[in-house]
Amino acid sequence: MADKSRRAFMGKVLGATAGVGAVASLYAMKRTWDPLPSVISAGFTTVDLSPLEAGKLSVIKWRGKPVFLLKHTSDITTDEARDIVIGEDRYTVVIGLCTHLGCIPEWRENDKIFHCACHGGQYDPHARQTFGPPPRPLDIPPFSISGKTITLGDEGPEYKKMLTMA
Amino acid sequence: MAHFPKAHGVGEWLDHRLNITALKKVMMTEYWIPKDINFLWAMGMILAFTFKILLISGIFLLMYYKPDVNAAFDSVNYTIMQEVGYGWLFRHIHAVGASVIFLVIYIHMFTGIYYGSYKKGREMIWLSGMLLLILFSAEAFSGYMLPWGQMSYWAAYVITNIFGGIPLIGDELVVWIRGNFYVADATLTRFFMLHVLLVPLAIMGGIAFHFYTLRIPHVNNQTGEDIDFGKEAEKYKENPKRSKIIPFWPVFMAKDVFVLSVFLLFFFYLVFYNYGFAMDPVNFDPANGLKTPAHIYPEWYFLWSYEVLRGFFFDIGPLKAADIGLLAFGFAQAILLFMPWLDRSPTVAPANQRPYFRYWFWIMIVVLIVLTIYGKLPPTGTNAWIGFASSIAFIVMFAILPVITEKEARTVAGGKK
C-alpha cells in the first residue's frame, strides 16, 4: 500500500513537471510566430506632410497597404470627423483599399473624387462613399501628429478623438 | 532472451527476429475484403498511390525551391521550369496530382455516403477520413502559396483574413498567423514549413490511422450485407470459391492494381497533355500586395465551400453579410463530420435502395456541382442569387437529413435489417 501511494505521488510529480514544461514549450512556440521586432518597427511609418501639393494625391506604403495622402484645396468642404488638421492645412489620410472588395481606387483630380475601377464605387475628397457598392468610407489608419509629420500605426489623441466622432 | 535456432536462409533468419510470416498474414494474406465490391472500392489505394506520387515529386521540387519572397517566384518559374532537367515534369506532376487527388477524395467520400459506409461500427473510418480531408486541404492551401504568384498571394490574403472574423481575438490572430501586418516573407516561410514537413507528417499518420480504423469493422460491400468475417475466412481456406471474402494480398490487390493502372493512364494523360487546368494563368504574375486581381477564386476543389462563404451577400437584421457567410462556411466545413449521426436510419444499403435517401444523395451532388460552378463566376447579378439559393439549399439539405432518415427508419422497420 505504501509502495502504491509512493508510485501515485511520483506519478503526480512527473505529471505536474511535464505539464509545466508543456505549457512553457507551447508559449515559446507561440512566440516564434509573433511578428519580429523589425516587422513591428517597420509597421510605424512617419511622413512629413508639409511638402504635399494641394489637390494632388500621394500614395505611400504602410504595413503592405497603400495609404492615400491628400492635401485639400480651398474649394474642398471641411469635414471635422475625417480631416486631419495641421496648422492651416487640412488633409485626407486613408487606407487606399476600396471597402467593397479591396481594389485600389484612383484619385480624379478634376472631378475631386476617388473612383474604383473594379465595381464603379466612388468617394468624395474625405473618402466618404458617394456612389456604388462600397459599404463605408475608406478606413483611416491609426496615426499621431507631431509638428508637421504624422506617424502611421501609432494611436495619437487626434485619432482617438476621430474614432469617437465616426 | 528468446531462443534463436540456426536459420536456413535469409528469410528464416529474418523471420526468427522480426516474425515476418505472422506480420504478412495479419496485414496482407489474411486481411479480408468482401468479394461483392466494384471499382469504387479501389479509390483508397489510388489515393495512397497519388499521395506517394506527390511526396516523390515534392522531394525533387524541394531541391530547387527557395522560400523567400524575392526568390520564390523565379525559383519555380525560371529555375525549376526552365533550367532543371525535367523540372517542368515534376512541377506538372505535383500540380496535377494535387488537383486530381481531390477529385478522387470526393469520389471516395461519396462512395462512402452512397453505400452507407459510415454507419454503426464504421464511424471512426468516416471521422479519420474527414480528418484526412482537412489535412489535405491544409496541404493544398499551404502548397498553393509557395510559387508566390498573384493567386498564391491573394489566396493567402483571403484565407488568413477569414480568421479575422473570430470575435475578440480575430485581428491579433490574423497578424500572428501571418507573422506580419500583411502577407509577407514570414508568412511564406512558415507555410513552407507546414507544407513540406508538419502537414505531410500528419497526413502519413492519418493514413495509417485510417487504415487501422478499417480493421475491426472491415470494409463495407455493395449490398451492405453484414458478413461474419471469421466464418467466411474458414470457408475461404476450405474452398475460396464458396467464401464471400478474399484476402487483401494478392487477390484484392490484383484487381486494385488494374483500376490503379487505368487511373494512372488518365493521370499521366493530364500531366503531359492537359495540365493547364492545374496552372492558373493569374499565378504566372509575381505576387503584388498592392494590386488585387479582378477576380479571386480558389482551385476547383474549394469552390463549393468558397461559394457558401460568399453566398450570403446582404445583411440580415443585425447580422452582417460577411459574418453570416463565415458562419455558413464554418457549418459547411464541420457538418460532414457528423454524417454518421445525421443519418438516423440504421439501414446499411446503397442509396438507390433507400426510399428518401436516394433523392437526398443525388440532390446533394447537384447542389455541390452548382456551388462549384458558381464559385468560379463573378458574384454579380443573377450569379449572386443562384449562389445564395444554393448555399441555402446546402444548409437545408443537412438540416432535413435527420428528419427524412428517421422517417425511412420507421418505414422499413420490420422489413429488412
Side-chain angles (χ1 to χ4, degrees):
Chain A
M1 207 53 207
D3 195 38
K4 217 174 176 183
S5 67
R6 260 177 65 147
R7 178 160 295 168
F9 173 73
M10 281 157 67
K12 275 175 197 154
V13 170
L14 177 67
T17 315
V20 170
V23 169
S25 310
L26 278 178
Y27 176 73
M29 290 175 194
K30 186 259 168 198
R31 288 279 287 113
T32 66
W33 270 33
D34 283 350
L36 308 179
S38 55
V39 166
I40 291 174
S41 61
F44 296 90
T45 307
T46 300
V47 217
D48 184 0
L49 292 180
S50 54
L52 292 184
E53 197 185 325
K56 298 240 188 266
L57 186 73
S58 302
V59 184
I60 59 159
K61 207 169 149 183
W62 169 74
R63 295 188 180 177
K65 294 174 189 150
V67 170
F68 290 170
L69 308 172
L70 177 71
K71 184 174 178 178
H72 293 185
T73 51
S74 52
D75 58 335
I76 294 174
T77 55
T78 59
D79 184 336
E80 293 308 326
R82 296 184 61 84
D83 295 354
I84 292 179
V85 187
I86 297 175
E88 299 286 288
D89 301 318
R90 306 182 81 90
Y91 299 86
T92 297
V93 176
V94 287
I95 293 174
L97 296 174
C98 183
T99 49
H100 176 223
L101 287 172
C103 300
I104 303 172
E106 55 163 342
W107 169 242
R108 291 188 174 166
E109 197 183 335
N110 296 331
D111 305 330
K112 299 248 168 1
I113 55 163
F114 293 99
H115 174 83
C116 180
C118 289
H119 299 92
Q122 289 182 3
Y123 303 84
D124 69 11
H126 310 285
R128 286 188 191 273
Q129 76 279 23
T130 52
F131 179 77
R136 60 171 199 281
L138 296 181
D139 295 323
I140 297 174
F143 66 90
S144 65
I145 302 175
S146 159
K148 294 228 162 200
T149 65
I150 62 167
T151 300
L152 300 174
D154 186 29
E155 297 190 5
E158 294 85 357
Y159 174 73
K160 285 182 182 147
K161 192 173 153 224
M162 229 177 233
L163 282 183
T164 61
M165 292 169 82
Chain B
M1 199 170 73
H3 177 63
F4 290 93
K6 185 173 166 51
H8 306 279
V10 180
E12 210 180 304
W13 187 87
L14 282 173
D15 203 27
H16 288 156
R17 282 149 186 85
L18 300 174
N19 210 355
I20 284 168
T21 312
L23 187 71
K24 219 164 92 184
K25 263 191 186 172
V26 170
M27 302 295 278
M28 295 163 82
T29 56
E30 291 188 16
Y31 175 57
W32 305 102
I33 308 284
K35 263 183 194 168
D36 187 19
I37 56 176
N38 59 38
F39 76 98
L40 291 166
W41 270 254
M43 295 303 142
M45 213 37 78
I46 289 178
L47 285 172
F49 199 86
T50 312
F51 177 67
K52 199 191 277 176
I53 290 177
L54 284 165
L55 191 67
I56 292 169
S57 56
I59 288 170
F60 284 88
L61 294 172
L62 187 52
M63 286 186 270
Y64 287 96
Y65 176 74
K66 293 190 173 72
D68 179 305
V69 290
N70 297 312
F73 186 82
D74 286 340
S75 75
V76 174
N77 289 298
Y78 180 68
T79 311
I80 290 173
M81 290 301 282
Q82 313 216 8
E83 291 204 289
V84 178
Y86 286 96
W88 58 271
L89 176 64
F90 286 101
R91 189 189 182 197
H92 287 175
I93 287 176
H94 206 68
V96 170
S99 198
V100 167
I101 206 166
F102 277 92
L103 176 68
V104 186
I105 286 175
Y106 288 149
I107 295 174
H108 192 54
M109 264 174 73
F110 279 92
T111 303
I113 295 177
Y114 185 85
Y115 289 99
S117 306
Y118 47 78
K119 295 199 181 186
K120 194 177 171 194
R122 295 200 174 91
E123 296 93 335
M124 287 309 294
I125 305 175
W126 179 259
L127 287 178
S128 59
M130 291 308 294
L131 174 73
L132 281 169
L133 175 65
I134 294 165
L135 289 171
F136 270 105
S137 300
E139 184 67 358
F141 167 64
S142 56
Y144 197 68
M145 199 184 295
L146 303 187
W148 208 244
Q150 272 291 66
M151 272 298 178
S152 301
Y153 186 90
W154 289 97
Y157 176 88
V158 171
I159 300 294
T160 49
N161 240 356
I162 286 177
F163 292 93
I166 297 172
L168 300 174
I169 55 162
D171 291 340
E172 283 80 20
L173 186 63
V174 173
V175 173
W176 184 73
I177 290 170
R178 291 174 177 169
N180 203 319
F181 302 105
Y182 55 105
V183 174
D185 196 59
T187 325
L188 177 61
T189 50
R190 66 188 50 178
F191 278 88
F192 169 71
M193 178 285 290
L194 290 174
H195 184 73
V196 304
L197 183 68
L198 190 59
V199 181
L201 276 181
I203 286 177
M204 286 183 244
I207 292 173
F209 181 56
H210 194 50
F211 283 165
Y212 179 64
T213 59
L214 281 166
R215 182 150 288 269
I216 292 163
H218 282 95
V219 177
N220 193 11
N221 54 73
Q222 277 199 94
T223 55
E225 184 187 351
D226 191 2
I227 296 171
D228 183 338
F229 279 81
K231 213 171 87 194
E232 295 300 323
E234 293 307 315
K235 271 200 211 162
Y236 185 88
K237 284 173 192 165
E238 284 162 27
N239 181 355
K241 286 209 175 346
R242 289 175 54 194
S243 175
K244 289 177 180 169
I245 58 173
I246 46 169
F248 176 80
W249 181 271
V251 188
F252 171 73
M253 273 307 278
K255 226 171 181 178
D256 232 21
V257 168
F258 173 76
V259 183
L260 180 64
S261 306
V262 174
F263 166 78
L264 288 177
L265 281 176
F266 165 70
F267 179 77
F268 281 104
Y269 159 73
L270 291 178
V271 167
F272 286 109
Y273 301 104
N274 233 323
Y275 51 82
F277 74 98
M279 312 283 273
D280 197 289
V282 180
N283 219 25
F284 286 91
D285 291 328
N288 181 351
L290 294 183
K291 187 167 165 280
T292 322
H295 297 299
I296 305 176
Y297 45 81
E299 289 290 278
W300 73 267
Y301 40 85
F302 290 145
L303 286 171
W304 68 271
S305 58
Y306 184 63
E307 188 60 12
V308 172
L309 174 68
R310 63 178 200 176
F312 299 87
F313 58 93
F314 46 82
D315 303 349
I316 301 173
L319 283 171
K320 289 255 176 283
D323 296 329
I324 306 170
L326 202 60
L327 287 172
F329 178 73
F331 174 85
Q333 303 307 305
I335 195 65
L336 280 166
L337 278 169
F338 298 98
M339 214 41 214
W341 296 277
L342 291 172
D343 187 341
R344 312 289 306 162
S345 165
T347 313
V348 181
N352 68 353
Q353 291 174 16
R354 298 174 55 189
Y356 307 109
F357 189 75
R358 61 199 292 183
Y359 300 111
W360 188 91
F361 180 85
W362 292 111
I363 294 170
M364 193 70 219
I365 299 273
V366 171
V367 169
L368 285 171
I369 290 173
V370 171
L371 283 171
T372 300
I373 292 170
Y374 281 86
K376 181 100 182 203
L377 299 175
T380 47
T382 335
N383 292 355
W385 285 102
I386 294 174
F388 173 70
S390 43
S391 303
I392 293 281
F394 178 86
I395 293 168
V396 168
M397 286 297 280
F398 278 100
I400 63 168
L401 182 58
V403 182
I404 61 158
T405 47
E406 190 82 47
K407 206 169 161 197
E408 175 190 310
R410 271 188 311 231
T411 319
V412 288
K416 52 181 193 162
K417 61 175 166 60

